[in-house]
Each structure stands twice: as C-alpha cells, then as structure tokens.
C-alpha cells in the first residue's frame, strides 16, 4: 500500500529534475528576471525602478542573487523541497534588504485533480513559500498570495514532464 | 380523442453580447438496447421556414440514447395528418410511435402543429399547436416537441429546451483568452457571456436559470460574479483576500454556497443573496471546497482533504459535523447531486486515472461512468438521465455526456481551443 503512494512520487521527482536540467528553453524561463518570464502579468515595473534612489550596496547585491523565481512541488504536495530552499533564501535576503520591495506569490497546480481543488492546492503552495519568507524576517506587507490553480500552465501537454513544470510557485516582483 | 391544445410557449431569450466564434460539434456513440423505435416524419413547412424541424426533433431524441429513430430513406410514406397514416406499414417496420406535423404562417407569426401517433393502437396520443412569434423561435419549438414526446413516452421531463454554460480557452500562454459561453443544449447558438485574458471558472446556474454565477480574476484578485442573462448585467458578489470560488446555488435560489479563504484557509460559506449576510459552514485546516446543495436544500456535499486525500463529505445546511461519504478510490472530488438526491456524481481518482463515477449515498457503492484519463466537472442534466462532464480529446479538452447506465456517450467539441466546465441549465418552469 505504501509503495502505491511513494513510487509515483519518486517517478515524478525524477522526471521533473530531468526536465529542468535538460530543456534549454525552460531553463531560460527559470533564470530570466521574473518580469519577463510572465508576459501575462500586467502592471509590472521594470527591473531597476523599485530600487531607484536607494542604492544600498547590500540591497543591490541581494537583487543580483535572484537567479530563479520558481519553486517546484511534488504531486498533491505543498512542502518546499531542499533543492528549492536557495530560491526562497535569495528572495528572503532581497526582501529584508529592500523593505519597500514587494512580491506576489502565484501558486499553481498541474491539471490533475479538479479545478477548484487545485485553486486550494495552489494557494497552499504559495502560503508555504510565504511562511518560509516570513520565517526569515520578511514583513507580511511585502507579500501577497494568489492562486491560479491549473488555469495558467507554464507547460502545455498532458504528461509528467509538463505536470512537473506546472506544480509551482512563481515569485513575481511588483 | 382530445382536441388540439394550444400551449402558451414561453422561454428565455438571451440578450447577450454576441455570437461565439465556434459552435460545438456533436458525435454520439453507443446506444441503449432498450431504446424505443420511433419515426419523425419530415414536416410540411411554409416556404420561408428554412429550419428542418423534424431533423432537430430527431437529433434530440436519438442523442438521448432512449430512442432509435428511423432513417428518412427507410420511410415508406410521409404522412402529414393523422388520417394519412397507414399504421400497418409502420408496425411492419417495427415502429411503435410516429411524429408527424406541419409548420405554417399564422396571424402574428407561425404555428407548428404536430401529432404523436401510436401505431399499435392507431390512436393519436398527443396533438399540439405551438405558436412561434418569429423564425428565430423555430429551433426552440422543435426542442419543445422533442420534450413533449420524450415526457409522454418515458414519463420523465425532456431536457432539450435547456442551455449549457461552459468555459472556452483558446491560445497558449500570454495569448490565452477565456470565454464563458452559453449555448443551446444541442450546441447551437453559442453566445459569449464574459471574456477575459485572466481565467474564467466554475459557472453555476440559478434554479430559475436567469442568472449565472462564475469566478474570474480582476486586479490581482479572484472574485465571484453574478451575471443576469436577460440584461447582461454583471455584479461582483464577493472578492475577499485569497480564494473566491466554487459558487453553487441553493435549490430555492436564495443562497449561494462558495469557497473563501480569507479567514486563513479554504472553507465553505453560505451567502444570503438578498441580505448579503454570510455564514461560515465549515472550519477546518484542510482544503474544503466544491460545495453542492442537495435537491431538498437541507444538506451540502463538498470536497475536503481533511483525511489526507481529497474525499467527499456531507454536512447539514445548519453546519455541524461533516460525514465522509466516499471511500472507493484514492481521491473523490467535486460532487453534485442527482435530481432524486439519492446519489452523487464525482471525479474518482484510482489507478492513475480521473474518471466520472456515480456514488449511491445509501450503500456507498461506486459505479464508474466514463473511460477517460483526465475527466472532470461532472453534473447531471435536468431529469437525471444523462451526466455531462469535461474530458481530454485527441484535439484538446472537450465536453461529453454519458447516460447514467453508461451506454450512450456524446462528445461536444469546438473546432479550436479547449472547452471545459460544462454546467447544464435547469428546466424552464
């Protein structure tokens, strides 16, 4: 019985890692600034504008360390896996160093399961990232959470590769 | 027999923003072995009536799976009035029932006269004159005829003069466009109710079918909207921080059950639509969502993962403890009640497949109705003989119906884009 639960999760994790490391176009999306990776989100300021006039070295350095804005999850899970802790840590440092900066945490799910349940699951994932950021001293005023469930897939397709890329939280700077 | 009865014919005419770009195409597979043989003879029609009324009636009845219609090429005579019917000829072809009729101009519009004839007794068992004010109403007259025949021969109301609401999504990524569409139950006359570049979700009909509740996104938030079909007016009902989702009307239309998460995590609330007062029905740290009222309005079912995996729970409309009602399968989600209240349809996850299942609420037994891999959004058509759901087709997401015995399947798809989240309107009253 236990095997039934764990085997698919292991397969999912493996295919996800391979998908992330092998697909050039997708790693582009995960390393580019969040502003350009999500063309459908409107009202996004250009990268430097939020920091204009502040010019603290520490805050600039923290911003440069924002390499990826994506945290991926296992099927029906919302715990942050060790390999994505560095993404959360980088945003925590950036937000603590830039108290005026704000991010929106967009929670997403793969297409399996029902749409409204996946809205709940996406929110739970976004709130897991929110809690991790708060734990590192980020103010709640800097964070907002929205769930898109399965409505905004990053990858089309109906297989594990696509699903693994869609179970995610995107940290979007505002 | 009984004299001709003129029935007052009223139905909703939707005033909408415009015709949708693509109509639904319908294919039917399977058939009920107990289907009733019937012949719908082509009507004689005045010149300006282009619509083939008998064909619309024929399509309605044969797609229901409950009737087997005689192809026109096999008809040995084409009677228009009862005196022209040679019952023996039809009996010899195994046809027990016959629909004949004519459509003509009348004062102030048109009138369609039809007869249902029992070829065994030779008696006419139904006869109606149905007035129509305009040609645009002809299609609805045909559906009305199908409804009357269906009810007369099967004893339960027909559901052909109904609407289906669904969500269409076209384009990829940032090009994606969402439309909420309302079409006739046979896929004709699609009308766009709302469109957005942000997701549109979860359409739900009011019991008087005058309003649609749905979920949209605006200014970085989700919201539940109420659209009044006759006026096209849209009202934002609730837009709290967090989730605003899963609207479901109570059977009397006074309340809307919804999912809100502003008090920390998703729970079920009931909104009084007159006063706006809001009552929290569940309070659990799990995800509680996808509420649906029972037909008597006294209980609700909803999805909750409070036991670890999402399953269906039942709770009194007054609140209190929730009782788990699904046990077969790793997950069961998004329940809705059969019209008789004795069973629910759910999305059942087992063996790596999401399929539509029907659960008997007394015995707890599960019966799988669909054969897809990612089937979702099931609900009953009015009358309860058919379940509509969304499924993954070879060319994208499409809608499907299946008879509750699982024998007859219908696919409804758009030529481009995905169609999803079907909601069948109630019967007109």
């Amino acid at each position: 019985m236990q095997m039934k639960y764990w085997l698919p999760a292991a397969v999912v994790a493996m295919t996800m890692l391979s998908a992330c490391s092998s697909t050039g176009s997708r790693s582009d999306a995960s390393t580019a600034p969040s502003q350009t990776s999500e063309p459908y989100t409107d009202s996004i300021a250009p990268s430097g504008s939020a920091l204009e006039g502040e010019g603290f070295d520490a805050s600039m350095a923290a911003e440069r360390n924002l390499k990826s804005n994506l945290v991926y999850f296992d099927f029906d899970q919302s715990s942050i896996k060790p390999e994505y802790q560095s993404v959360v840590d980088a945003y925590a440092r950036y937000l603590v160093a830039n108290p005026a900066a704000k991010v929106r945490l967009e929670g997403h799910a793969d297409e399996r399961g029902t749409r409204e349940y996946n809205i709940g699951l996406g929110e739970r994932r976004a709130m897991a990232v929110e809690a991790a950021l708060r734990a590192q001293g980020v103010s709640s005023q800097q964070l907002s959470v929205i769930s898109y469930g399965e409505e905004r897939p990053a990858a089309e397709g109906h297989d594990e590769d696509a699903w693994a890329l869609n179970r995610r939280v995107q940290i979007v700077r505002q | 027999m009984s004299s001709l009865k003129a029935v007052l014919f009223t139905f909703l005419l939707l005033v909408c923003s415009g015709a949708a770009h693509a109509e639904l195409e319908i294919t039917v597979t399977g058939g009920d072995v107990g289907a009733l043989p019937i012949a719908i003879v082509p009507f004689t029609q005045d010149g300006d009536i282009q619509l083939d009324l008998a064909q619309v009636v024929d399509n309605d009845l044969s797609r229901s799976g409950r009737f087997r219609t005689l192809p026109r090429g096999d008809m040995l005579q084409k009677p228009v009035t009862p005196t022209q019917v040679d019952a023996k000829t039809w009996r010899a072809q195994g046809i027990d029932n016959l629909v004949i009729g004519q459509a003509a101009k009348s004062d102030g519009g048109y009138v369609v006269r039809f007869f249902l004839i029992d070829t065994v007794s030779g008696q006419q068992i139904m006869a109606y004159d149905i007035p129509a004010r305009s040609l645009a109403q002809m299609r609805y007259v045909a559906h009305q005829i199908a409804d009357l025949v269906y009810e007369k021969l099967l004893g339960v109301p027909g559901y052909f003069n109904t609407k289906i609401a669904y969500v269409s999504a076209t384009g990829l990524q940032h090009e994606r466009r969402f439309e909420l569409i309302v079409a006739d139950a046979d896929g004709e006359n699609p009308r766009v109710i709302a469109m957005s570049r942000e997701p549109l979700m979860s359409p739900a009909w009011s019991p008087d079918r005058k309003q649609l509740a749905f979920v949209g996104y605006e200014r970085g938030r989700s919201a539940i909207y109420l659209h009044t079909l006759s006026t096209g007016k849209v009202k934002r009902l609730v837009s709290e921080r967090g989730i605003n989702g899963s609207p479901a009307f109570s059977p009397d239309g006074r309340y809307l059950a919804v999912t809100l998460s502003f008090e920390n995590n998703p729970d079920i609330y009931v909104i009084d639509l007159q006063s706006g007062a809001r009552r929290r029905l569940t309070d659990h740290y799990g995800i509680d969502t996808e509420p649906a009222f029972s037909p008597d309005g006294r209980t609700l079912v909803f999805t909750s993962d409070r036991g670890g995996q999402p399953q269906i729970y039942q709770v009194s409309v007054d609140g209190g403890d929730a009782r788990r009602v699904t046990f077969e399968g790793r997950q069961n989600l998004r329940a809705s009640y059969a019209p008789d209240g004795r069973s629910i349809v759910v999305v059942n996850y087992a063996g790596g497949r999401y399929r539509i299942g029907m659960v008997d609420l007394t015995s707890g037994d599960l019966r799988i109705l669909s054969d897809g891999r990612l089937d979702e959004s099931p609900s009953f058509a009015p009358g309860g003989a058919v379940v509509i759901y969304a499924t993954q087709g070879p060319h994208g997401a499409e809608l499907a119906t299946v008879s509750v015995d699982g024998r007859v399947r219908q696919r409804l798809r758009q030529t481009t884009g995905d169609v999803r989240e079907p909601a069948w309107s109630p019967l007109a009253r």
Side-chain angles (χ1 to χ4, degrees):
Chain A
M1 201 55 196
Q2 282 297 316
M3 278 304 285
K4 268 187 166 170
Y5 284 71
W6 286 108
L7 193 58
V11 173
V12 169
M14 275 156 52
T15 48
M16 186 191 69
L17 289 174
S18 66
C20 290
S21 59
S22 65
T23 318
S25 62
R26 271 153 196 168
S27 64
D28 283 353
S30 61
T31 53
S34 58
Q35 287 81 351
T36 54
S37 70
E38 283 308 303
Y40 60 78
T41 54
D42 47 13
S43 73
I44 291 167
S47 169
S49 67
L51 298 171
E52 240 170 57
E54 300 192 13
F56 298 125
D57 284 347
S59 67
M60 299 294 276
E63 188 185 9
R64 279 196 299 276
N65 284 329
L66 301 179
K67 290 194 172 65
S68 168
N69 69 329
L70 292 162
V71 179
Y72 293 101
F73 295 83
D74 286 341
F75 174 56
D76 210 12
Q77 296 297 312
S78 58
S79 53
I80 298 170
K81 297 195 284 182
E83 56 265 48
Y84 299 108
Q85 192 60 48
S86 62
V87 176
V88 174
D89 292 347
Y91 271 91
R93 281 193 298 273
Y94 161 69
L95 289 165
V96 167
N98 299 276
K102 292 184 176 184
V103 295
R104 184 170 67 239
L105 306 170
E106 297 181 356
H108 299 269
D110 70 32
E111 65 180 344
R112 291 176 297 170
T114 52
R115 291 174 182 279
E116 288 282 4
Y117 179 74
N118 281 333
I119 290 286
L121 191 55
E123 182 182 77
R124 187 184 275 171
R125 286 172 177 155
M127 289 177 83
V129 174
E130 182 189 37
L133 291 169
R134 295 287 309 279
Q136 297 192 44
V138 177
S139 159
S140 64
Q141 305 297 313
Q142 294 175 274
L143 304 171
S144 63
V145 163
I146 188 166
S147 176
Y148 286 111
E150 63 180 280
E151 309 300 320
R152 286 287 190 194
E156 305 293 331
H158 310 290
D159 52 23
E160 281 291 347
D161 287 357
W163 292 334
L165 290 169
N166 292 335
R167 293 189 297 269
R168 70 199 192 279
V169 168
Q170 292 186 207
I171 307 173
V172 181
R173 279 191 279 166
Q174 297 188 279
Chain B
M1 209 161 148
S2 70
S3 61
L4 283 178
K5 273 188 291 185
V7 289
L8 232 174
F9 195 49
T10 55
F11 50 86
L12 286 172
L13 288 177
L14 301 180
V15 181
C16 304
S17 52
H21 52 88
E23 294 194 348
L24 293 174
E25 298 172 354
I26 300 185
T27 54
V28 183
T29 54
D32 188 338
V33 288
L36 293 175
I38 192 169
I40 318 296
V41 179
F43 292 9
T44 55
Q45 303 181 176
D46 274 0
D48 62 335
I49 304 171
Q50 300 295 317
L51 181 74
D52 187 336
L53 288 152
Q55 191 62 57
V56 175
V57 177
D58 193 306
N59 290 345
D60 282 349
L61 294 177
S62 61
R63 284 172 187 165
S64 75
R66 306 292 302 273
F67 291 90
R68 196 171 67 245
T69 58
L70 185 72
R72 285 182 179 180
D74 295 347
M75 293 177 188
L76 300 174
Q77 56 166 198
K78 303 248 166 91
V80 173
T81 63
T83 52
Q84 296 168 345
V85 173
D86 176 19
K88 278 197 311 293
T89 306
W90 298 97
R91 276 205 306 274
Q93 286 188 283
I95 297 299
D96 299 339
N97 291 284
L98 191 65
V99 174
I100 57 174
Q102 52 195 306
K105 275 207 161 91
S106 72
D107 294 341
Y110 302 86
V111 64
V112 182
R113 170 173 297 185
F114 83 95
F115 303 88
L116 173 63
I117 292 161
D118 178 343
T119 63
V120 179
S121 67
Q123 298 286 306
Q124 83 182 45
I125 52 180
M126 197 166 51
Y128 276 89
D129 272 353
I130 302 180
R133 284 191 303 276
S134 69
L135 288 172
Q137 291 189 343
M138 281 297 162
R139 181 168 288 283
Y140 302 103
V141 171
H143 292 318
Q144 177 85 346
I145 293 170
D147 278 344
L148 291 165
V149 170
Y150 187 96
E151 178 158 15
K152 190 75 184 178
L153 296 178
L154 299 178
V156 289
Y159 53 90
F160 308 110
N161 232 331
T162 50
K163 307 278 182 192
I164 301 172
Y166 56 93
V167 174
S168 152
T170 51
L172 299 179
Q173 300 289 331
H174 61 285
E175 295 292 327
R176 184 161 297 195
R177 208 167 79 133
F178 297 85
E179 290 177 331
L180 175 61
I181 296 173
V182 171
D184 296 346
D186 61 357
E188 299 283 339
N189 296 323
R191 291 281 182 277
V192 177
I193 297 301
M195 74 178 81
S196 175
R197 303 191 62 152
E198 297 279 347
L200 295 173
M201 297 174 66
S202 306
W205 289 92
S206 64
D208 63 5
R209 74 183 207 176
K210 290 178 178 163
Q211 290 186 308
L212 268 177
F214 64 95
V215 174
Y217 287 74
E218 204 175 11
R219 283 173 263 138
R221 274 191 181 213
S222 63
I224 298 170
Y225 301 88
L226 274 183
H227 178 103
T228 303
L229 291 159
S230 59
T231 62
K233 282 203 177 114
V234 180
K235 176 187 170 194
R236 189 166 65 226
L237 189 69
V238 54
S239 185
E240 291 286 356
R241 183 174 56 82
I243 294 169
N244 302 272
S246 285
F249 283 91
S250 64
D252 62 8
R254 290 175 58 194
Y255 302 96
L256 194 72
V258 300
T259 301
L260 303 175
S261 69
F262 70 104
E263 290 183 279
N264 207 21
N265 79 315
D267 281 305
I268 311 296
Y269 293 73
V270 175
I271 300 172
D272 181 327
L273 290 170
Q274 256 127 51
S275 70
R278 195 155 65 193
R279 192 159 54 82
R280 187 175 186 171
L281 199 62
T282 70
D283 183 359
H284 196 281
Y285 58 82
I287 295 173
D288 290 349
T289 188
E290 301 173 334
F293 279 91
S294 62
D296 65 8
R298 288 162 64 181
T299 59
L300 292 98
V301 284
F302 62 97
T303 307
S304 177
D305 68 350
R306 58 185 63 191
Q309 290 283 331
Q311 294 287 350
I312 305 301
Y313 292 76
Q314 193 175 41
V315 67
S316 162
V317 72
D318 302 318
D321 290 337
R323 181 175 75 92
R324 182 171 163 181
V325 296
T326 54
F327 297 92
E328 287 187 56
R330 185 175 168 193
Q331 301 181 349
N332 286 283
L333 309 100
R334 201 189 185 279
S336 66
Y337 278 91
D340 67 6
R342 289 187 201 139
S343 54
I344 51 175
V345 278
V346 298
V347 177
N348 174 268
Y349 179 53
R353 303 171 75 183
Y354 288 88
R355 293 181 296 179
I356 308 307
M358 194 162 154
V359 177
D360 183 317
L361 286 173
T362 311
S363 68
D365 289 348
L366 167 79
R367 197 150 46 84
I368 297 294
L369 295 179
S370 73
D371 60 355
R373 201 167 64 101
L374 290 164
D375 297 343
E376 63 179 358
S377 305
S379 66
F380 282 92
V386 167
V387 172
I388 190 164
Y389 61 98
T391 187
Q392 203 61 44
H395 307 289
E398 51 190 43
L399 310 183
T401 67
V402 58
S403 55
V404 289
D405 59 11
R407 286 197 181 118
V408 187
R409 293 208 167 82
Q410 215 182 93
R411 291 293 183 102
L412 306 87
R413 71 178 190 91
Q414 251 176 213
T415 41
T416 57
D418 288 350
V419 282
R420 53 167 80 143
E421 298 203 80
W424 210 308
S425 81
L427 296 172
R429 303 239 166 100

